[in-house]
Amino acid sequence: MMAVVVWEWLNEHGRWRPYSPAVSHHIEAVVRAGPRAGGSVVLGQVDSRLAPYIIDLQSMNQFRQDTGTLRPVRRNYYDPSSAPGKGVVWEWENDSGSWTPYDMEVGITIQHAYEKQHPWVDLTSIGFSYVIDFSTMGQINRQTQRQRRVRRRLDLVYPMVTGALPRAPSWPVSPGSAASPPAPPCSCPQCVLVMSVKAAVVNGSPGPLQPPATRKNAPPSAGVKLPPAPGPGAKPQDSTRTGRGSVKTAPSQGIRRQASSTPAGATAGSPASPPAANGKTGRMALATLNRTNLQRLAIAQSRVLIASGVPTVPVKNLNGSSPVNPALAGITGILMSAAGLPVCLTRPPKLVLHPPPVSKSEIKSIPGVSNTSRKTTKKQAKKGKTPEEVLKKYLQKVRHPPDEDCTICMERLTAPSGYKGSQPTVKPDVVGKLSRCGHIYHIYCLVAMYNNGNKDGSLQCPTCKTIYGVKTGTQPPGKMEYHLIPHSLPGHPDCKTIRIIYSIPPGIQGPEHPNPGKSFSARGFPRHCYLPDSEKGRKVLKLLLVAWDRRLIFAIGTSSTTGESDTVIWNEVHHKTEFGSNLTGHGYPDANYLDNVLAELAAQGISEDSTAQEKD
């Protein structure tokens, strides 16, 4: 049997994310080398952006050296004829303008539809509320109609394996086996240096310090925190898809470098090494070392890391005042954990979600903004207006349509609409042009699109997103509060802060929602958001109030972070929910945030003119 191997890691949202083909080849090379390679993979050797990370093949965890974070990894198998077996990678453009690869399952689904020459593919069946339109190479959010660019590119083919797929991890879990003699010690400069330092620091021991015999089901050290349990949308780790078993790795031209040794390979944990001659394992010997000697050992390893050219990351010591050797924290953490000492070498940045306590007397109203709260108002289209009557305001009939596709039904404009729904008052071959942007469609298709939307009297061009009329959303009932607090945001030291508090309770979906009559959840409310009390910050607040009144801040759909469906989600207008930090990207300082959110509001049809419209 043949399969393509993709190494994946579990992110904080419970989704398995693929390593790149080059990184997967590198990991496979270490797996193929067996215990001789030390059981650890240094990802910085193949991708400088992954310099802080080491994979421990025994525990199947990815370890971040500067923070001590552990994440599960797995070795997954896919059909050789699927996207990873052909070197095809599908990516979407994120808010910063860079490209993010889809999860492997999503990429394979998109590639399958692409190869079948389908005009689009709906990802709802695999849990995502998106449609990929191959004609425009765009990803369309089914709830908000927001579009992002997607691209298809070619990369290395992921490594191939042949043979019976393993049902359990086969990386050695015991120090020795009658079938395979112990591997000789590694002779690379790093390991030679580290072993000599080990021998020196135990000064007086009968021989060189031996690495420990590994233990089955060894519990994690008390000093290392495991990642939180995956969210509701997470897939359970499939233990039948990790390890090697009897699978033979097929030769591939994609391997850039095969590591004969790794930085973690010489630390306490080599599975092929026997116990010391005196019967005591290396772990017990390490336990006799004091903190100073362990740090000396870690510094020796960090020097080798730097000399070998492996990129490292800056960290700071406990006092936060002077720099520490870049690789010291992670390597020392590993050694101290092995010795049973508490691991507390670095002080990670602190998440600051909320401001210091504020008394009621300190909370003030915002000058130039009326009131301090408002509830959701549900605006409906005027009764008696049929879709045809609504669209008539925005369209001009085209008697001689051009010989091109209608981008809604993908049929030629010179032919009848390909939409199969029933629209008895509109002929399927009538074509219209939108008055402002000039894009041309079958009117039959536009009526169908309008009926599938919010039916609020507005229309959004599916090509350029120009909005005709006043666009409203499907935000469920709730309350928005806003006021001034006497604290400054990072990056805005000269002004106070506008605090916004959104409160939406759970309830029952209405006719405009995805599943009318079904209950919906509302997680994380009340949600606190922050703006600087500057001229531009107040401008953003006023436009957010318009967006709130038009029910455009939130929607009901599937959460991209937890995978939960029928829940309240953000609706493409980003908010800052961290007050005093920016660890998640949703905080300050962020010099471009106010301009970015103004652009997002404009994409929803909300600008300075909108405030005047609301007063009218």
Side-chain angles (χ1 to χ4, degrees):
M1 182 175 180
M2 178 175 288
V4 61
V5 176
V6 178
W7 282 84
E8 299 168 327
W9 57 278
L10 189 67
N11 70 10
E12 64 272 22
H13 306 309
R15 299 206 61 82
W16 288 100
R17 302 287 297 139
Y19 291 104
S20 70
V23 172
S24 288
H25 275 290
H26 179 60
I27 300 172
E28 280 295 296
V30 177
V31 170
R32 186 169 61 250
R36 190 184 302 269
S40 298
V41 186
V42 181
L43 301 186
Q45 291 181 336
V46 70
D47 188 338
S48 60
R49 296 170 298 179
L50 303 181
Y53 299 101
I54 292 175
I55 290 179
D56 175 41
L57 293 173
Q58 280 189 311
S59 64
M60 293 297 283
N61 278 312
Q62 170 191 277
F63 175 74
R64 177 161 180 153
Q65 300 180 71
D66 54 334
T67 65
T69 302
L70 287 173
R71 295 190 186 278
V73 299
R74 71 178 183 183
R75 187 181 191 232
N76 216 351
Y77 301 96
Y78 296 94
D79 192 305
S81 63
S82 63
K86 297 178 179 179
V88 174
V89 179
W90 283 89
E91 300 173 319
W92 56 276
E93 187 178 32
N94 58 35
D95 291 335
S96 64
S98 57
W99 294 91
T100 302
Y102 284 98
D103 294 356
M104 193 55 64
E105 175 189 12
V106 179
I108 289 174
T109 301
I110 297 173
Q111 176 63 16
H112 180 73
Y114 180 85
E115 291 175 349
K116 295 292 186 182
Q117 298 185 337
H118 294 166
W120 64 79
V121 58
D122 190 338
L123 302 180
T124 305
S125 62
I126 56 174
F128 296 91
S129 185
Y130 296 105
V131 172
I132 306 299
D133 185 344
F134 295 121
S135 64
T136 62
M137 289 301 281
Q139 169 191 280
I140 303 168
N141 187 313
R142 291 172 59 90
Q143 301 293 333
T144 67
Q145 297 301 305
R146 180 176 178 181
Q147 184 165 340
R148 296 180 184 270
R149 291 195 299 164
V150 301
R151 73 177 183 182
R152 176 183 182 269
R153 66 176 180 85
L154 295 179
D155 203 325
L156 296 173
V157 174
Y158 277 91
M160 306 289 289
V161 293
T162 57
L165 298 184
R167 292 190 171 275
S170 65
W171 191 263
V173 293
S174 58
S177 171
S180 56
C186 179
S187 59
C188 73
Q190 175 192 344
C191 293
V192 170
L193 174 59
V194 171
M195 292 305 293
S196 65
V197 174
K198 285 181 179 180
V201 294
V202 293
N203 192 19
S205 61
L209 180 65
Q210 299 291 336
T214 57
R215 298 169 298 155
K216 292 186 178 180
N217 303 321
S221 169
V224 180
K225 294 183 178 180
L226 292 175
K235 297 180 180 179
Q237 184 172 354
D238 186 355
S239 63
T240 66
R241 291 188 168 187
T242 56
R244 287 188 303 156
S246 60
V247 176
K248 298 179 180 179
T249 305
S252 171
Q253 297 177 350
I255 300 176
R256 294 184 182 180
R257 183 189 303 177
Q258 178 174 334
S260 60
S261 64
T262 60
T267 62
S270 176
S273 302
N278 60 4
K280 296 182 179 180
T281 65
R283 179 181 180 88
M284 295 174 65
L286 275 173
T288 66
L289 303 184
N290 60 30
R291 194 176 301 250
T292 301
N293 286 336
L294 283 167
Q295 289 185 350
R296 284 179 56 195
L297 176 55
I299 289 171
Q301 285 199 307
S302 67
R303 286 173 180 164
V304 175
L305 272 175
I306 296 169
S308 66
V310 176
T312 54
V313 292
V315 294
K316 290 193 173 184
N317 65 4
L318 283 171
N319 296 326
S321 58
S322 60
V324 171
N325 198 294
L328 173 61
I331 298 301
T332 307
I334 295 172
L335 292 169
M336 291 178 66
S337 175
L341 297 176
V343 178
C344 186
L345 295 176
T346 60
R347 177 176 291 164
K350 189 176 180 181
L351 182 68
V352 182
L353 289 177
H354 302 294
V358 178
S359 65
K360 287 185 178 180
S361 62
E362 293 178 305
I363 296 175
K364 305 295 183 183
S365 59
I366 303 167
V369 180
S370 60
N371 303 317
T372 58
S373 68
R374 62 180 66 186
K375 294 185 177 181
T376 302
T377 57
K378 184 174 180 180
K379 295 187 177 181
Q380 297 288 355
K382 292 182 179 179
K383 293 183 178 180
K385 290 280 187 180
T386 66
E388 294 82 356
E389 290 174 321
V390 171
L391 298 181
K392 188 177 180 180
K393 298 185 298 182
Y394 312 133
L395 287 172
Q396 301 169 356
K397 286 188 178 181
V398 177
R399 294 187 177 181
H400 304 289
D403 187 21
E404 57 187 44
D405 287 342
C406 168
T407 56
I408 299 177
C409 70
M410 305 308 295
E411 297 291 343
R412 307 300 284 181
L413 290 168
T414 52
S417 167
Y419 187 76
K420 304 301 182 185
S422 175
Q423 306 290 344
T425 62
V426 181
K427 294 181 179 179
D429 57 352
V430 179
V431 174
K433 179 173 73 172
L434 291 171
S435 57
R436 285 165 52 198
C437 64
H439 288 110
I440 303 174
Y441 307 95
H442 293 113
I443 296 180
Y444 198 86
C445 294
L446 286 173
V447 171
M449 185 181 77
Y450 180 84
N451 282 330
N452 287 330
N454 203 24
K455 291 181 279 193
D456 58 0
S458 71
L459 181 71
Q460 186 167 19
C461 175
T463 300
C464 66
K465 306 307 177 187
T466 298
I467 296 173
Y468 295 82
V470 177
K471 178 182 177 181
T472 62
T474 60
Q475 177 179 292
K479 185 178 181 182
M480 176 182 180
E481 301 173 77
Y482 41 94
H483 48 249
L484 282 181
I485 57 174
H487 300 290
S488 298
L489 292 165
H492 299 275
D494 300 327
C495 61
K496 297 179 181 179
T497 296
I498 298 171
R499 178 167 63 184
I500 304 170
I501 304 175
Y502 293 112
S503 300
I504 295 180
I508 304 297
Q509 298 181 51
E512 73 274 28
H513 293 136
N515 297 296
K518 186 177 180 181
S519 62
F520 67 87
S521 61
R523 311 292 184 194
F525 288 95
R527 298 187 185 182
H528 291 229
C529 308
Y530 304 95
L531 291 169
D533 184 33
S534 60
E535 181 180 353
K536 188 176 286 188
R538 293 185 188 182
K539 176 182 176 181
V540 169
L541 173 65
K542 291 176 182 178
L543 297 184
L544 287 175
L545 290 170
V546 175
W548 175 264
D549 289 340
R550 295 183 183 178
R551 305 174 66 203
L552 292 168
I553 300 292
F554 296 97
I556 294 177
T558 300
S559 170
S560 61
T561 56
T562 66
E564 181 182 11
S565 59
D566 298 304
T567 190
V568 179
I569 59 175
W570 292 107
N571 188 33
E572 307 294 348
V573 178
H574 286 80
H575 285 62
K576 292 296 189 181
T577 54
E578 284 183 68
F579 175 81
S581 58
N582 196 15
L583 298 186
T584 65
H586 302 303
Y588 294 92
D590 185 341
N592 299 319
Y593 169 66
L594 295 178
D595 290 327
N596 290 342
V597 76
L598 286 172
E600 291 173 344
L601 288 163
Q604 301 282 0
I606 299 174
S607 63
E608 288 186 87
D609 295 336
S610 303
T611 55
Q613 292 175 7
E614 291 297 306
K615 290 178 182 178
D616 296 340

